[in-house]
Amino acid sequence: MVHTKRLLNLEWDAIAGVIAAVTAIVMELLHLIQGEVLLTLTVALIALLFLRDMRREGAMERLEGRLAAVQVSLREIEVGLLPPDAVLIGPNRIRKVSTEFLVHASGEMIWFNVCLSMYKPPALFDALLRPALENPRITTMRFILDKDQRRLWEEILPTIRACPGAHKVQEPTWIDNQESISLIVADSAATGRTEALLSFWGEPFMARSTERSVPRYIFHIQGHSELISRFLEILRNYRLSA
């Protein structure tokens, strides 16, 4: 089987040309053919070699084209395998994802510029705030809030104090907010990295009514994202300025 493959890989057209050339030279030396015939045969052999090289160049060009297509496909696969920095969460999954984020968080959790009116309804409080209070891995809950939300804080504070983990809640840091974002930041117990839930004030990310503003779309910022370090810097600056 191996010998057969080696035979198939040989360039038989070149071998045939060499044999024909040697035969022609020998016959010319023996005066069996004329010099014109030898010249004609030489030209034919040169043309044969030229055609062989042209076929080889065409095959190489096709091979290079295929290799380029494979490289493009590999790059697309590589990009697809890279985890996204942020995952967009739509209205149908916001409550579920937010609850899971609170349940799997650990360490210090910071709530920055959140709309407290969102936590007034008992159902929303139970889904979006109570899981953090009852999560034993969360050690501290810090709120960095706009001064305009002092009244709302006083309204939901009794509900917070009625929960088992109320001792974790620190006195809010009151600021004159200048940001259009809202953040919930904490370490993930699963990965050990800091992650965040990010939302934006205003349409189309925030749905507003006469009673409250509720996020319509949020972003789950993953722990490997460069945005995390920027968010932590923003939070640190507000805490220091307050």
Side-chain angles (χ1 to χ4, degrees):
M1 187 68 179
V2 176
H3 295 297
T4 303
K5 290 183 178 179
R6 289 179 178 176
L7 289 173
L8 292 175
N9 290 332
L10 293 176
E11 298 186 4
W12 289 106
D13 51 353
I15 294 174
V18 172
I19 293 174
V22 172
T23 303
I25 292 173
V26 172
M27 294 180 68
E28 198 276 335
L29 291 175
L30 296 175
H31 302 288
L32 297 176
I33 60 173
Q34 297 180 352
E36 291 80 0
V37 176
L38 179 61
L39 178 61
T40 303
L41 181 59
T42 301
V43 173
L45 289 174
I46 293 174
L48 177 63
L49 294 175
F50 178 72
L51 291 174
R52 186 196 65 173
D53 290 340
M54 288 183 63
R55 291 199 305 271
R56 180 176 296 174
E57 289 179 1
M60 289 299 295
E61 289 178 357
R62 290 192 296 272
L63 179 59
E64 290 176 357
R66 292 173 182 173
L67 288 175
V70 170
Q71 289 177 346
V72 172
S73 299
L74 288 176
R75 283 195 294 269
E76 292 176 350
I77 293 173
E78 183 180 2
V79 171
L81 292 175
L82 292 175
D85 283 5
V87 179
L88 178 64
I89 311 299
N92 295 330
R93 298 182 61 238
I94 283 183
R95 185 177 300 191
K96 179 177 182 294
V97 171
S98 299
T99 302
E100 290 177 351
F101 182 86
L102 303 181
V103 169
H104 296 102
S106 65
E108 181 183 58
M109 175 172 278
I110 301 177
W111 309 64
F112 173 77
N113 196 30
V114 295
C115 180
L116 294 180
S117 63
M118 183 173 59
Y119 305 107
K120 289 182 63 178
L124 292 179
F125 182 93
D126 291 341
L128 304 177
L129 191 54
R130 185 184 296 275
L133 293 164
E134 297 179 350
N135 181 349
R137 289 186 296 268
I138 296 177
T139 57
T140 307
M141 295 175 60
R142 299 186 184 277
F143 289 81
I144 303 175
L145 303 172
D146 189 275
K147 293 177 180 178
D148 292 341
Q149 298 215 61
R150 285 181 182 270
R151 179 183 58 81
L152 288 169
W153 175 257
E154 295 298 330
E155 291 179 4
I156 68 169
L157 189 56
T159 309
I160 292 176
R161 287 174 175 169
C163 295
H167 64 279
K168 298 184 292 188
V169 179
Q170 306 296 305
E171 179 66 22
T173 299
W174 301 105
I175 61 173
D176 293 316
N177 178 53
Q178 299 176 355
E179 307 295 339
S180 61
I181 63 173
S182 172
L183 289 168
I184 302 175
V185 181
D187 293 341
S188 169
T191 65
R193 291 181 170 182
T194 303
E195 299 182 359
L197 295 181
L198 166 68
S199 58
F200 292 88
W201 290 87
E203 292 287 350
F205 297 98
M206 190 77 72
R208 293 188 177 182
S209 65
T210 56
E211 296 183 357
R212 66 183 61 89
S213 296
V214 179
R216 182 182 287 128
Y217 296 95
I218 63 174
F219 292 91
H220 185 183
I221 310 301
Q222 306 298 302
H224 63 270
S225 173
E226 296 180 359
L227 285 170
I228 294 295
S229 59
R230 177 55 184 154
F231 291 155
L232 294 177
E233 182 181 353
I234 291 175
L235 299 179
R236 183 169 54 253
N237 290 340
Y238 271 102
R239 291 175 64 179
L240 290 174
S241 62

